[in-house]
Amino acid sequence: MAKINFGGVIEEVVTREEFPLDKAREILKDETVAIIGYGVQGPGQALNLRDNGIKVIIGQRKDSKTWDKAIADGWVPGETLFEIEEAAEKGTIIQYLLSDAGQIALWPTIKKYLTPGKALYFSHGFGITYKEQTGIIPAADIDVILVAPKGSGTSLRRLFLAGKGLNSSFAVHQDATGRGRDRAIALGIGVGSGYLFETDFRKEVFSDLTGERGTLMGAIAGIFEAQYNTLRRNGHSPSEAFNETVEELTQSLMPLVAENGMDWMYANCSTTAQRGALDWKGRFRDATQPVFDELYESVATGKEAERTIKLNSQPDYRVKLEAELKTLHDSEIWQAGQAVRSLRPENQPEK
């Protein structure tokens, strides 16, 4: 593993240089990777593994939308696409990529096929970390491993096709065969990771749930709405409010942060923007710090898991969720965003 200085803290990471794809292929040459779940992470990971020369099969329910999606992606019924039970039986590594609620529901079925020496692979630590609530407790004679790409399955696939990769964490919860670590890292390379950093299931789910509810989705959406609403209340048009709140950030500034860091962006903006950002950064940090601390506590104590499991298991949850998502979709800020995106130069018809 390579030793890298992360802001003064030395960490060991796995890069493609010391763990090339050929090594991953060698480790996995006698394995059959069964992907159970073809929703968020399943397609990206499955297609990347297949393109990287790893033997992959898909397990899905027939006559479902995801079954049809798998066929559209080139998986062949009876050859590389099977019913869930048959795929689980054939697989030596079972990649359990259903939703958290789906994993709980299917666990009594899947665990029957986890015979000694197999590996159970997750991309999220939820099921294992909150085992008292999920009931997901694997037998001691299998490997239990994790690779968690730091992004959506769609992004993982797009970056792979562009010759890039998403960074991923990996963890070994249980190493029954002595090959668990090699299996995890090889799969991490196979799914298209940029580099891999080691964690454990507990830390992965704590950071992931905090991030999703925080700066990745919940907090950023809330901040967008707050600034947009302030501008609108003060007489700014939807177009102006959206451009100053979202479009400039996502189209201009965040790509620069991704390339060079926030410090570089601060050093390369106007002196007026620079001064204002430096003056107000601390105010926003101090205002939100208690919220993040409260959020982390809710994650660490299992309250977030309890709420997720309780709501997701309600028979009318999907209907209620669709109503919530529709409210978000129909809100002025995101309707304005739809119009703004349609006016981007790349979306304009050429004359």
Side-chain angles (χ1 to χ4, degrees):
M1 295 178 74
K3 292 185 176 182
I4 306 293
N5 186 332
F6 289 90
V9 178
I10 304 299
E11 293 185 37
E12 291 188 339
V13 301
V14 179
T15 69
R16 298 181 188 182
E17 185 176 353
E18 74 263 12
F19 207 107
L21 181 58
D22 285 346
K23 183 176 180 179
R25 288 190 185 119
E26 178 63 24
I27 289 170
L28 299 173
K29 65 180 181 180
D30 297 323
E31 306 273 18
T32 297
V33 178
I35 308 280
I36 309 299
Y38 207 73
V40 178
Q41 280 289 336
Q45 293 199 33
L47 292 169
N48 290 359
L49 284 168
R50 184 180 70 182
D51 288 354
N52 274 333
I54 310 301
K55 184 179 179 182
V56 181
I57 60 175
I58 307 297
Q60 272 298 300
R61 294 296 182 209
K62 279 186 179 179
D63 302 320
S64 65
K65 289 182 179 179
T66 46
W67 178 275
D68 294 339
K69 177 175 171 51
I71 292 175
D73 285 343
W75 306 99
V76 180
E79 295 181 15
T80 54
L81 176 60
F82 302 93
E83 285 274 6
I84 289 173
E85 292 82 357
E86 188 173 359
E89 184 176 22
K90 291 177 179 293
T92 59
I93 298 173
I94 295 177
Q95 291 198 190
Y96 208 30
L97 300 181
L98 294 166
S99 68
D100 295 324
Q103 288 182 15
I104 295 169
L106 196 64
W107 178 244
T109 298
I110 289 297
K111 68 179 181 180
K112 294 184 293 186
Y113 299 100
L114 289 167
T115 51
K118 286 193 176 187
L120 178 61
Y121 167 114
F122 295 86
S123 282
H124 189 29
F126 191 98
I128 295 294
T129 300
Y130 301 114
K131 60 182 181 295
E132 292 83 3
Q133 299 179 60
T134 66
I136 299 176
I137 304 174
D141 54 10
I142 65 167
D143 294 342
V144 181
I145 58 179
L146 174 146
V147 174
K150 298 298 105 180
S152 70
T154 301
S155 298
L156 184 71
R157 181 61 177 167
R158 285 178 179 174
L159 288 168
F160 177 87
L161 292 174
K164 302 177 182 178
L166 275 178
N167 301 327
S168 303
S169 60
F170 78 95
V172 180
H173 177 71
Q174 198 166 275
D175 187 3
T177 66
R179 296 184 292 117
R181 186 180 180 83
D182 279 350
R183 278 170 145 176
I185 296 174
L187 288 165
I189 296 297
V191 300
S193 301
Y195 76 86
L196 293 151
F197 60 95
E198 192 164 7
T199 186
D200 58 44
F201 276 58
R202 180 175 175 274
K203 288 178 180 176
E204 190 284 328
V205 74
F206 283 13
S207 62
D208 190 71
L209 292 184
T210 300
E212 289 169 348
R213 286 150 177 76
T215 59
L216 301 180
M217 293 176 67
I220 196 69
I223 290 171
F224 282 162
E225 289 180 14
Q227 179 171 304
Y228 181 89
N229 291 341
T230 293
L231 292 172
R232 289 289 287 126
R233 281 197 299 267
N234 283 278
H236 298 269
S237 68
S239 177
E240 184 170 48
F242 188 86
N243 272 283
E244 290 295 339
T245 300
V246 180
E247 191 75 352
E248 184 173 352
L249 175 72
T250 58
Q251 295 299 294
S252 175
L253 302 183
M254 279 299 109
L256 295 178
V257 174
E259 291 173 15
N260 303 297
M262 185 69 78
D263 55 330
W264 185 93
M265 191 187 76
Y266 268 52
N268 287 273
C269 64
S270 72
T271 55
T272 301
Q274 189 180 74
R275 182 68 266 145
L278 289 168
D279 288 347
W280 281 87
K281 175 177 70 69
R283 292 279 300 277
F284 282 106
R285 180 198 61 223
D286 295 345
T288 58
Q289 190 67 64
V291 181
F292 280 102
D293 291 341
E294 180 183 350
L295 166 58
Y296 192 87
E297 178 70 12
S298 184
V299 170
T301 58
K303 290 181 182 178
E304 290 299 307
E306 182 181 4
R307 174 173 169 77
T308 297
I309 293 170
K310 180 180 178 180
L311 293 181
N312 286 0
S313 62
Q314 293 178 353
D316 61 346
Y317 175 70
R318 180 59 60 180
V319 175
K320 291 178 179 177
L321 174 64
E322 290 301 326
E324 288 184 274
L325 294 176
K326 187 176 187 303
T327 298
L328 183 64
H329 176 269
D330 292 344
S331 63
E332 186 187 271
I333 180 174
W334 296 113
Q335 287 299 303
Q338 188 172 328
V340 169
R341 288 191 296 276
S342 72
L343 295 172
R344 291 175 186 166
E346 66 269 22
N347 295 327
Q348 292 293 304
E350 294 186 8
K351 294 182 179 179

